Amino acid sequence: MSLWGWPWRTSTGASGFGRSSTAEEVTEGIDAHDFTAIVTGATNGIGKETARVLALRGAEVIIPSRTIESGLRVKESLLEQNPSAKLHVMEMDLSSLDSVETFARSFISTNKRLNILIDNAGIMACPFQLSRDGIEMQFATNHLGHFLLTKLLLEKMKSTAKETGVQGRIINVSSSAHRRGYELPFSLDKLNDKSSYKRFTAYGQSKLANILHANELSRKLQEEGSNVTANSLHPGLIQTNITRFLQGAATTCYLAINPKVKDATGKYYVNCNEENPLPEAKDNDLANKLWVFSEELLRKGGK
C-alpha cells in the first residue's frame, strides 16, 4: 500500500516497465561511459535525479545552472553519493535567449561530443510576467529557450552520431497538462496579453509546445537521414515523496539510454511506454506553425 492508502499500480507495458519503475531500474546494467548528456533543470527535483542516474551509469553530465554557485552545490551533493561521477556545471538562464546562446557557444568550444540532450527545465503556473526578451515567461522558459538550445546544439549532436555510430537522443519533458493548452496562440499579441492570461492554461500551452517541437524536429531529422531521434514524455504522477524523483525521472532516463527505444522517434511516452497525447499534439500542420512562430520570435530577438 502507498502512504495515501491506495495500492501501487504495478502493471507494466510493452517496455517491461510501468508506473512504479524507478530510474535506476530502467537503466540497470546499461553502460553509458561513452555518452555525454546535457540535462536542463538538473539543479533540483526530477532533473537532478536524472543527472544522478545518468552519471551513475557512467555518462558525463553537463548541468546548466542560472548561477555557477547553485550548480556547484548540486554537483557537490551528487559527488557525495557517487565520487566518480563525471559532472560539469555551466551557467545558463533558459528564459534569456542571450544566455542560452552563450551557453551553447561555450559548450561547443569545449569540443566535447554530445549524445543526449534532455530539455527538462521548466516553470509552472507563475503569475503573468515577461522574459528579458519580452515573451510570456512560461512560453519563453519551457519552450522557446529549449527550442533555441536544441537548434544551436543540433549540428554537434549530428556530428557526434556520425563520428561514433551511436544514435543521438533529444528528449523533451512535457506533461499531461498539455491537454489544457489546445488553444495555442501563435501570435505574440495573444501570447503576451495580460488581460486574458490564465497561468495553468499558459503552462499547458508551453507543454503542448514541447510535444509539437519534438514531433516536428523528429520529422525534419528523418527527412535528412540524421541518426538522431526526438521524443517527448510526461514524467508521471508520483504517489509519495519517498520515491517521487526516482520514479519521476524513470521515463526520461529510459528514453535517454535504454536500448529498447533505439530508432523510436516522434513519440510521446508515459511511464516508459508509448501513449497517445492530445490529438492536437500530433497535428503536423500545428507543429509546423509552432516551428515557424518560434523561428520568428528568435529573429525578433536577433538569433
Side-chain angles (χ1 to χ4, degrees), residues 164-240:
T164 63
V166 178
Q167 194 168 69
R169 299 185 181 183
I170 298 170
I171 300 148
N172 282 2
V173 178
S174 179
S175 167
S176 61
H178 76 273
R179 298 177 187 280
R180 290 175 173 261
Y182 60 92
E183 296 178 352
L184 258 179
F186 293 139
S187 77
L188 194 57
D189 289 342
K190 291 182 180 178
L191 193 68
N192 288 353
D193 183 4
K194 183 177 181 179
S195 64
S196 63
Y197 178 76
K198 297 177 181 177
R199 56 184 185 169
F200 284 102
T201 300
Y203 176 69
Q205 289 168 349
S206 70
K207 296 287 99 179
L208 176 56
N210 292 153
I211 302 175
L212 291 169
H213 171 220
N215 291 351
E216 182 68 4
L217 178 59
S218 171
R219 186 187 66 78
K220 292 178 182 295
L221 290 167
Q222 286 181 293
E223 280 186 353
E224 62 186 46
S226 294
N227 191 23
V228 179
T229 63
N231 293 292
S232 57
L233 66 99
H234 167 62
L237 298 174
I238 312 305
Q239 295 183 16
T240 78

